Amino acid sequence: MSPNLQPTTGLSPRAPESDPYRWLERRHSEATVAWLAAQDARIERYFAALEGCEALRIRVARSLDVETVQQPARVGEQYFYLRRATGQEQPCICVNGSDRASERVLFDPNTRADRFLSGQIYAASATGHFLAYKLRHGGEHSCAVEVVRTRSGERCHGLETGEPRGLVFTDHPAGFFYCHEYQNENAAHEVRFRPTADPGLDEVVLRLPRSTGSRLNLVGADNGRLAAVYYHRKSGRRVADLYLAHSCASRVWECVVRDSEDSFVPFLHQGRIFLVTHVGAPNGMVVEFVPARADERTVIIPEGAHPIRQLCFTRDRIFAGYLVDLDPLIQEWSFAGDRLGSLPVAQGTTITFCTPLSSQCEELFYISESFARAPEIHCYHPLRRSDSVWHSQRSPVVRTRCQIERASYRSIDGTTVSMYVVHPGDRISSEKRPAVMTAYGGFGACMTPSFSVLISILLELGFRFALPLIRGGGEWGPAWHHAGRRHLHGKTIEDFLSGAEWLIGKGLTSSDCLAVFGGSHSGLMVSAAMARRPELFGAVLAIAPLTDMLRYHLFDGAVKWVDEYGSADDPQDLAVLSSYSPYHNVQTGTDYPPALFVCGDRDTKCNAAHSRKMVAQLQNRTAQRNQILLDHTPERGHSPNLPLSTRIEALTRRIAFLCHELQIALPSEWPNDPTRF
């Protein structure tokens, strides 16, 4: 049995013969290893026979191999950030002065022998003298943690590989509190304290029982106050408890909220406790919570007409992000509950707050991007009410020539669905073109305009891009999410298929020139759409998809998604899951469109067994004449932390596959200026 797969006791949703490739769940069995070797040889032959791949690879590298900056944060008079210079495989963790003229590298993964090693900023002490960062190998979700003294560069003893759930330095840098989950799933959840001077003397300060799907998260503040949120199930309900340690020195925890069904999020800021709560406020509101008066909560940000999408606390302000008719709105609030105005953000963009490392930071860092413009980092100063670009990519390939249209269509049951249609060039055209489409439709996530190198290159080649905002997402609030959740998940697939039919019916593309792609939950959606209506699509690209929905909850930690999908252990859920599970709906006599499935051994969210089983099911039928390929990488996981050279090769393959299967010729030479296309 795979180490990532739980026992199957009590689960028999289908007869054994309906799951002929269950043996592929055992990743390291002799049979699976041999099967993967054959798949690797198959895909190498496929791409070796394609023309134009080398020129395409150069074009992809021109877009990906640019200087990038990520995770900017200010602590005192220092800036911390990730920076990847041109030619580097991985970004470095850097510190700079307030004048931004004295950069020092605190961690450079490019000096390590393992090119798949990457770093990510995790936490900083109040003074900025200590910085914790995560270390990942490939795309794995789990990580180790290193701690560095920022002045000397000296490494302190960190944490072994596990799942990080919070790290808080003490107000005097004598150590840090942490919650770090390890592979032993029978152990209790724990918050521990590790002294910097003597790392062998970890102290357990909070221990709570583990159960199926339970989780413990640690949050803290610069003044040393701690909070722990304990998620678990009680009487079949998902509930949360909130524990507070009023002083790090006392190590005494008090449970101030117990068995709450509210999906609250705590923020500890300058001695105060704030909660994002949905009790009586479906769109969310921010309240101040005082443990001594637990039933009295002062409203700081009242519920608005639109859901709160994101929050950021700076020294004197709270910034709340909303989506209003798909455009961003960023409101500025005082801690007294006064609305101070809105930030001047551009419409048609996506705004993402950067996570601060210190509650004393005045500035708000945020990322702005759109379909046409690569991400750039902005810095907003509330006291000066000034907004400036803190970093933008130094590359000629940062804009895409395109025109963006907002369209709508009717789904199968008559529901109106909105869709972005991105046209190449300088005008909106109704001429028939090759098209590529994706969507998400799950977990209440919002699909808003964002920059994609894949899409920008396909637009250069004359493709049209479509992004329907299907049910299950959060673009129109909680009701839109619930309209495609669990027993209603089939509606998301219907919305997606109706979007494809609309594009074809309008003459914007044809079925043999329409490709669909998606990753993770979106990979499930495009796989299910292919299984249901294969004649609609000319090519399918599924990246780390879920495909076996009768057993998905048995892999790794996917049981936590039962509230979104349901479980085959429930007879009512079983009927719905069976109706759209891609693996279980492959028909014997159907020639499915060409499909490329991408997976990796380090994916512990959407286990690679989903892709292996789906590919085997599709390939081993006499009716299948179109190519079904598996692009399998041992180091790939669910986190986007692969080295530059691997990302260039992966994107080159995806574009080459889509173009070849839609019969779009790749140029033998690409112009340096993409506007010349």
Side-chain angles (χ1 to χ4, degrees), residues 13 57 85 106 112 123 244 278 287 372 407-408 421 436 465 588 615 621:
R57 190 174 290 106
L106 296 175
R112 305 285 183 95
L244 291 178
H278 295 83
V287 300
S408 63
V421 182
V436 61
F465 172 55
T588 303
V615 166
R621 296 168 305 111

Side-chain angles (χ1 to χ4, degrees), residues 23 35 102 117 143 157 348 393 404 411 466 481 550:
W23 57 272
W35 184 85
S102 54
L117 185 70
C143 63
H157 188 68
Q393 290 186 8
I404 301 158
S411 189
H481 171 212
L550 303 190

Side-chain angles (χ1 to χ4, degrees), residues 618-660:
L618 288 166
Q619 285 180 346
N620 296 329
R621 296 168 305 111
T622 56
Q624 188 64 45
R625 296 182 298 276
N626 288 316
Q627 286 279 5
I628 304 294
L629 300 169
L630 182 73
D631 192 353
H632 156 261
T633 308
E635 307 299 337
R636 181 177 298 282
H638 222 72
S639 298
N641 298 302
L642 294 175
L644 173 68
S645 56
T646 301
R647 293 189 290 119
I648 290 172
E649 184 60 29
L651 186 54
T652 299
R653 285 189 169 196
R654 294 170 196 180
I655 295 172
F657 167 79
L658 294 175
C659 290
H660 176 73

Side-chain angles (χ1 to χ4, degrees), residues 69-91:
V69 170
Q70 301 167 275
Q71 290 193 281
R74 183 168 182 168
V75 181
E77 295 303 311
Q78 300 179 102
Y79 290 108
F80 296 98
Y81 50 88
L82 296 181
R83 184 173 71 84
R84 193 191 65 79
T86 303
Q88 288 184 323
E89 288 278 19
Q90 298 282 8

Side-chain angles (χ1 to χ4, degrees), residues 7 57 127 152 191 205 260 269 301 330 355 378 387 392 455 462 490 494 516 567 570:
R57 190 174 290 106
T127 59
S152 66
V191 174
V205 298
S260 173
H269 190 79
I301 301 179
I330 309 301
T355 303
H378 286 245
D387 188 300
S392 60
I455 297 303
E494 292 178 0
V516 291
S567 165
D570 182 319

Side-chain angles (χ1 to χ4, degrees), residues 10-47:
L11 178 63
S12 54
R14 289 283 185 106
E17 60 267 24
S18 67
D19 192 2
Y21 299 105
R22 186 175 295 187
W23 57 272
L24 281 169
E25 294 176 358
R26 297 187 293 274
R27 166 63 183 92
H28 298 292
S29 71
E30 185 176 337
T32 301
V33 170
W35 184 85
L36 281 172
Q39 296 298 320
D40 291 344
R42 181 174 187 156
I43 198 169
E44 291 301 327
R45 289 194 301 270
Y46 174 88
F47 284 109

